[in-house]
Amino acid sequence: MGEDRHILRAVWEGRIPVAFTLAHDESESPNPPEPYFLLVPRLSYFPIVSDKVSRHFSRFLSPTVQPEMWLEYQGQPLKWHYPIGVLFDLYAADDSLPWTLTVHFQNFPESELLHCQSREVVESQFMSTIKEADALKHRCQVMNSMQKRDHKQLWNGLRNDKFDEFWAINRKLMEQTDEGPFRYIPFRIYQLDKPFIQKLVKPVNEDGKPATLENLIETVSSDIKKDFSKSTRYSVLFYHAFSSR
């Protein structure tokens, strides 16, 4: 990790300016509240960074509302379990900044979003993703060998935006074990309005040569192309993953 530490830190420090605005029909105030602005980490999740947003707008809500905040962008509810940078690249990469999102506390879109009423839910989802990646790479050996405090440090590093705290543990997930190279490369391909794509892809091709990014894309290209006509052009954005390189 030492030779590319500056790259990892640069990726970690990526930020997106966001303007949060309360949905007009949910405010009990005769004057609409001012937007709330935040500079949010691309690698984080909205429930981790939006406590201040919730508190800012809660005072403008009806006392009868049991607030569970959810976000929308141009009519599209945003999946909180997708990293913020992924959501931005999917829906707003070509738009001007700040990224303007609508905040809701009512009419939760049950068919489109998972409920998230605490940070513990985010922690559980995040750790499940890390364990899934480790299962593909190391048969869960690395995560199983860690102590509970290591898991907590990994989560706290992400939650508190602490690069060194996070990578002190995450680097173990990036290394080969005594059994040799990674079994499979954990990855996800996110698409607009479709489930993400995952497949088993080995780090070495059948001819023994290291697999390239081009090989990976070719492996999943049939799943992508079948949804488009031959004349359709599409682009690929690469997003840094926590536990794979």
Side-chain angles (χ1 to χ4, degrees):
M1 175 182 148
E3 68 278 4
D4 57 5
R5 186 179 180 84
H6 66 288
I7 298 174
L8 296 174
R9 184 177 288 277
V11 172
W12 180 277
E13 292 176 351
R15 299 290 187 268
I16 301 170
V18 180
F20 298 88
T21 61
L22 182 63
H24 296 303
D25 59 348
E26 295 187 25
S27 174
E28 291 292 306
S29 172
N31 300 314
E34 293 292 323
Y36 194 88
F37 295 90
L38 280 178
L39 196 60
V40 300
R42 288 179 56 91
L43 296 182
S44 190
Y45 298 84
F46 273 122
I48 296 178
V49 302
S50 56
D51 280 354
K52 293 180 179 178
V53 178
S54 179
R55 289 195 296 269
H56 173 72
F57 290 122
S58 290
R59 53 199 174 99
F60 298 97
L61 305 176
S62 168
T64 61
V65 172
Q66 299 294 324
E68 179 179 357
M69 195 179 84
W70 59 279
L71 302 173
E72 169 204 324
Y73 175 66
Q74 295 185 352
Q76 174 64 53
L78 298 180
K79 294 179 171 61
W80 62 262
H81 57 290
Y82 282 17
I84 294 171
V86 169
L87 291 170
F88 177 78
D89 291 341
L90 281 174
Y91 297 109
D94 296 326
D95 292 357
S96 59
L97 297 174
W99 188 20
T100 301
L101 303 181
T102 302
V103 178
H104 292 273
F105 292 90
Q106 301 176 30
N107 303 316
F108 189 88
E110 301 277 353
S111 62
E112 298 185 66
L113 299 182
L114 302 173
H115 285 279
C116 180
Q117 297 180 326
S118 70
R119 286 188 175 183
E120 286 71 23
V121 177
V122 188
E123 179 181 5
S124 176
Q125 183 275 334
F126 171 73
M127 295 307 299
S128 293
T129 300
I130 296 295
K131 291 175 181 178
E132 178 184 345
D134 189 43
L136 291 170
K137 294 165 70 173
H138 307 119
R139 294 189 175 89
C140 291
Q141 291 179 356
V142 178
M143 288 298 289
N144 289 341
S145 67
M146 290 182 185
Q147 299 185 25
K148 186 176 182 179
R149 66 170 180 267
D150 296 324
H151 293 184
K152 187 59 68 173
Q153 179 175 332
L154 193 67
W155 164 247
N156 286 338
L158 175 70
R159 186 188 66 178
N160 299 323
D161 195 25
K162 300 293 186 181
F163 174 84
D164 292 326
E165 181 179 350
F166 179 87
W167 273 99
I169 303 300
N170 192 57
R171 65 177 179 79
K172 300 176 184 178
L173 294 161
M174 309 290 283
E175 300 168 346
Q176 296 184 18
T177 63
D178 294 338
E179 293 191 0
F182 302 155
R183 296 168 59 239
Y184 300 102
I185 302 171
F187 73 95
R188 289 176 177 177
I189 294 183
Y190 294 87
Q191 304 177 91
L192 280 173
D193 306 322
K194 296 181 180 68
F196 55 73
I197 296 174
Q198 287 182 293
K199 280 193 171 184
L200 293 178
V201 176
K202 294 183 177 181
V204 178
N205 292 324
E206 292 182 359
D207 59 7
K209 294 180 180 180
T212 65
L213 192 56
E214 181 181 9
N215 298 143
L216 186 149
I217 294 174
E218 289 175 348
T219 300
V220 301
S221 62
S222 59
D223 295 84
I224 299 174
K225 290 179 180 178
K226 67 184 180 182
D227 294 321
F228 299 100
S229 66
K230 291 183 178 180
S231 61
T232 301
R233 298 183 64 185
Y234 56 91
S235 59
V236 179
L237 296 175
F238 301 104
Y239 186 82
H240 178 83
F242 285 118
S243 54
S244 63
R245 288 167 60 187

